[in-house]
Amino acid sequence: MTHVTTTLRDAATTLVGVPVRAQTYRNLIYLALAFPLGLAYFVGLTVGFSLGVGLAFTWVGIPILLATLAVASALARVEAGLANCLLGTDVRAPSLDTSGGVLAATKRLVTDARTWVAVGYLLVKFGLGIVSFAALAALTSLSVGLVTAPLTYSSNYYVGLRLGNATVGPFESGRLVVDTFGEAVGVALLGLVVALASLHALNALARLCGTITEEILDSSGAARTTGATDEN
C-alpha cells in the first residue's frame, strides 16, 4: 500500500511539477531558438550553394562551395553543443580535421560523409524550427488567453486569439460567452490545466528534437537521450 501511495505521489509530482523545473525552461529556450537558427541555416546554405554552383565555371564558386561546407560542419558542432547544454544530450560531433595540409583537409571535407550529414541536419533544423515555433505560439497563446480570462473578460467586448468559432481570452461563440467573473475564473482554471498539458507537450517536442540531433550528428554512434528532457 505504501508503495502504491508513493508511486501515485511521484506521478502527481511529475504531472503537476513541470512548471517549477528548470529543465522545462531550458527546453523552451531551445525550442524558441530553433526557428531563427533554422531559418538562418537554411538561408545561408541556400545562398552559399547557389552562388557556388552558379559561379563554379569561373572558379570563384569552388572556394564558396568549400567555405559553405566548412561552415556547415562548424555549425553542426555548434548545434551539438547547444543540444548538450540545453537539452542534456550527449552528442559528440566530429571536429574538422585540418591535418596534412590544405589539399588533404579539403579532400576530407568534400569526401567525408559526415560533412553532408551536417548539411542535411541543418536543413532538417529548419523544419524542426517551423514546428517548434508553431507549437510554442499556439500553445502559449491558448494557455495565456485562458489563464488571464479574469483580467480580460467583459460583458461589452471580447479580446483574444480566435480559434475557429471561439475567441480565447475570454472566448465567445454561439453557445458559450464568457461575460461574468465567475465564468472567467472557470476558464482560468481550465487554462491552468491546458498550460500544464502544453508544457508537457513542449517538453516532449524538445525531447524529440534532442533525439533527432543525437541520431544524426553523434559521431560516436552511442546516441542516447538523457534524463534532461524526460522530466515531462
Side-chain angles (χ1 to χ4, degrees):
M1 184 66 179
T2 301
H3 176 71
V4 173
T5 302
T6 302
T7 301
L8 291 176
R9 183 168 55 249
D10 291 343
T13 300
T14 300
L15 181 65
V16 181
V18 63
V20 298
R21 297 192 190 108
Q23 183 59 48
T24 295
Y25 298 96
R26 287 194 289 268
N27 290 345
L28 293 178
I29 291 173
Y30 183 87
L31 294 177
L33 292 174
F35 178 68
L37 289 177
L39 179 61
Y41 300 155
F42 179 80
V43 172
L45 289 175
T46 300
V47 172
F49 284 123
S50 296
L51 285 176
V53 172
L55 297 175
F57 69 95
T58 67
W59 294 99
V60 176
I62 302 301
I64 295 177
L65 287 173
L66 294 175
T68 301
L69 292 176
V71 170
S73 296
L75 289 177
R77 292 194 297 277
V78 171
E79 274 294 316
L82 187 64
N84 292 342
C85 178
L86 293 178
L87 302 182
T89 56
D90 186 18
V91 184
R92 304 168 189 175
S95 299
L96 184 63
D97 186 358
T98 58
S99 62
V102 176
L103 291 180
T106 300
K107 180 180 179 180
R108 281 192 298 270
L109 177 67
V110 175
T111 59
D112 192 339
R114 291 174 297 184
T115 299
W116 301 100
V117 167
V119 172
Y121 173 79
L122 296 181
L123 295 177
V124 168
K125 180 73 174 186
F126 180 51
L128 291 176
I130 293 175
V131 173
S132 299
F133 176 79
L136 272 174
L139 295 178
T140 301
S141 298
L142 178 60
S143 300
V144 172
L146 291 172
V147 170
T148 59
L151 303 177
T152 60
Y153 86 97
S154 171
S155 59
N156 298 318
Y157 64 91
Y158 304 88
V159 296
L161 172 68
R162 178 163 291 280
L163 300 174
N165 295 325
T167 301
V168 178
F171 53 83
E172 175 190 13
S173 70
R175 292 176 293 178
L176 179 58
V177 178
V178 178
D179 57 2
T180 68
F181 182 72
E183 292 173 343
V185 170
V187 169
L189 293 176
L190 173 62
L192 292 177
V193 176
V194 172
L196 286 175
S198 297
L199 289 177
H200 282 288
L202 293 172
N203 275 346
L205 178 58
R207 181 167 63 247
L208 175 62
C209 290
T211 299
I212 291 174
T213 300
E214 285 181 324
E215 291 297 328
I216 296 179
L217 293 183
D218 193 354
S219 63
S220 71
R224 57 191 178 278
T225 302
T226 67
T229 55
D230 60 9
E231 295 181 13
N232 177 31

